[in-house]
Amino acid sequence: MEKEIKSLLERLTEAHGVSGYEMGVGKIVYHELEKYADSVETDNFGNVISLKKASVKDAPKVMLAGHMDEIGLIVKHIDDKGFLFFEKVGGISPRVLFSQPVVVHGKKGPVSGLINCKPPETPEEANKIPDLKAFFIDVGAKNKAEAEKLGVRIGDSVTFERPFKVLGSGNILASKAFDDRVGVCVIIETMKKLAKEKVEANVYGVADVQEEVGCRGAQVAAYRIAPNMAIAVDITLAGDIPGVAEKDQVTKIGAGPAIKVMDEAGGGLGLISHPKVRELLVSTAEEEKIPYQMEVLPRGSTDAAAIHLTREGVPSGVISIPTRYAHSYEILDVNDVVNAVKLLTATIKKIKKNINFK
Ligand code: CO
Ligand code: ZN
């Protein structure tokens, strides 16, 4: 399974799809799901919704959600000298922008560029991180007309060039967009495994859009599906790096997928996992001897935050893939992905048609 997951992850993460511009990723995902699900369709929003039908009547609907979009930029201005200015899409810190290679998705195809800003003029300035507004993209055009000739327009999406890499002894992977193509990958692989199984749930494997700007795709997909239960699959912070105290690490890579207890609890959109969904995940991991860790995340959230507030409320939980350097050049351990597929598949197989959340 590890080899297949690596190659699917490479294909998914090398595709480009800033929030609102996920069509290319959607096509790959549709063709994958088509092979394993009983049905698959793309809604008007761009969400790809697949279904594995239950083998019994009156079975509950279980929604699995992973988001196809990635953080990136949108071109907002091209100046007379041919430099591009941008707005960010999703959570992006200016710290990751110095000397960052990017791809501008113009009307004539991809255009290579480099992000930078003017060099500091004083020692104080040298020690400060400039505001995001100070950065621009250099596409090598000598003026505006030349930039436009390359096919660059206002509104074009821009993705970071951080190629898929295999590190260490082969299990450590790096990419620009494990957030959240790894979640999409786990859902595709789970639908593939379930294809040969009889299950007491109608399983909706959903690859949704626009999570990074506020879980917009998952919100409309959940309304349409009206699930009885949901599990999102997304990345979470792995703080097992120099300078982070053990108590603040949240998770570690290679120690198993994380089962979320809680995320964003400061008033923003967040989730406190439904205790029964959480316990189902934990007991499944214990019974199947799948390594796992518990996750309490101080900031950030996932699609489950939007899904659980749908209609009359949807008991929800999250399987998280521990990831270092989230929203920059991300690193994970493929073993955690393999175990997440095992955990999600085994959990669904344990759902009984009369499951009750009270
Ligand atoms: Co994210
Ligand atoms: Zn995410």
Side-chain angles (χ1 to χ4, degrees), residues 6 13 21-22 67 78 107 173 201 209 213 216 224 267 304 315:
K6 268 195 206 168
T13 56
Y21 296 71
E22 301 92 344
H67 66 92
I78 306 168
K107 75 161 178 248
L173 309 177
V209 296
V213 290
R216 298 173 188 172
R224 178 197 187 108

Side-chain angles (χ1 to χ4, degrees), residues 8-29:
L8 180 57
L9 268 177
E10 178 166 9
R11 276 197 298 136
L12 289 171
T13 56
E14 291 294 272
H16 299 279
V18 173
S19 312
Y21 296 71
E22 301 92 344
M23 305 70 144
V25 185
K27 279 200 187 110
I28 299 173
V29 172

Side-chain angles (χ1 to χ4, degrees), residues 7 125 149 191 306:
S7 93
E125 235 187 302
K149 220 173 137 196
M191 295 305 277

Side-chain angles (χ1 to χ4, degrees), residues 108-147:
K108 294 183 183 166
V111 175
S112 292
L114 286 163
I115 301 185
N116 230 312
C117 63
K118 75 168 182 68
E121 284 163 25
T122 62
E124 296 80 64
E125 235 187 302
N127 290 325
K128 267 183 30 197
I129 296 167
D131 194 77
L132 202 98
K133 282 190 170 65
F135 292 85
F136 49 79
I137 303 169
D138 189 336
V139 290
K142 63 173 181 288
N143 53 40
K144 189 174 184 176
E146 206 175 294

Side-chain angles (χ1 to χ4, degrees), residues 22-63:
E22 301 92 344
M23 305 70 144
V25 185
K27 279 200 187 110
I28 299 173
V29 172
Y30 186 100
H31 290 303
E32 284 299 318
L33 288 169
E34 199 180 34
K35 295 188 242 171
Y36 316 118
D38 293 322
S39 68
V40 49
E41 63 178 312
T42 302
D43 72 7
N44 291 336
F45 224 65
N47 297 307
V48 181
I49 301 174
S50 68
L51 169 64
K52 152 79 182 172
K53 287 193 187 123
S55 57
V56 293
K57 276 213 162 61
D58 305 315
K61 291 188 270 187
V62 176
M63 177 175 176

Side-chain angles (χ1 to χ4, degrees), residues 62-244:
V62 176
M63 177 175 176
L64 313 179
H67 66 92
M68 295 190 286
D69 59 318
E70 68 188 279
I71 55 157
L73 312 167
I74 300 280
V75 176
K76 71 167 181 186
H77 178 72
I78 306 168
D79 79 2
D80 293 340
K81 302 273 187 328
F83 292 99
L84 318 185
F85 293 81
F86 54 80
E87 282 298 335
K88 61 175 177 167
V89 180
I92 294 168
S93 161
R95 319 156 152 261
V96 303
L97 295 182
F98 293 103
S99 312
Q100 171 64 53
V102 291
V103 179
V104 182
H105 301 278
K107 75 161 178 248
K108 294 183 183 166
V111 175
S112 292
L114 286 163
I115 301 185
N116 230 312
C117 63
K118 75 168 182 68
E121 284 163 25
T122 62
E124 296 80 64
E125 235 187 302
N127 290 325
K128 267 183 30 197
I129 296 167
D131 194 77
L132 202 98
K133 282 190 170 65
F135 292 85
F136 49 79
I137 303 169
D138 189 336
V139 290
K142 63 173 181 288
N143 53 40
K144 189 174 184 176
E146 206 175 294
E148 284 169 346
K149 220 173 137 196
L150 291 170
V152 176
R153 295 164 301 174
I154 289 170
D156 286 345
S157 68
V158 180
T159 50
F160 297 113
E161 207 180 300
R162 294 167 183 157
F164 181 86
K165 281 189 185 178
V166 181
L167 306 179
S169 52
N171 54 314
I172 306 299
L173 309 177
S175 156
K176 67 177 169 61
F178 284 136
D179 183 8
D180 182 29
R181 306 284 158 71
V182 69
V184 173
C185 172
V186 168
I187 288 169
I188 291 170
E189 290 293 321
T190 300
M191 295 305 277
K192 179 173 166 181
K193 284 202 144 44
L194 291 176
K196 301 164 224 143
E197 306 279 347
K198 282 195 167 17
V199 289
E200 293 194 22
N202 289 297
V203 184
Y204 290 81
V206 180
D208 57 74
V209 296
Q210 300 188 37
E211 189 269 354
E212 296 291 354
V213 290
C215 308
R216 298 173 188 172
Q219 185 181 341
V220 299
Y223 182 86
R224 178 197 187 108
I225 294 165
N228 301 94
M229 172 184 150
I231 298 173
V233 186
D234 208 330
I235 65 147
T236 190
L237 303 183
D240 54 338
I241 56 170
V244 182

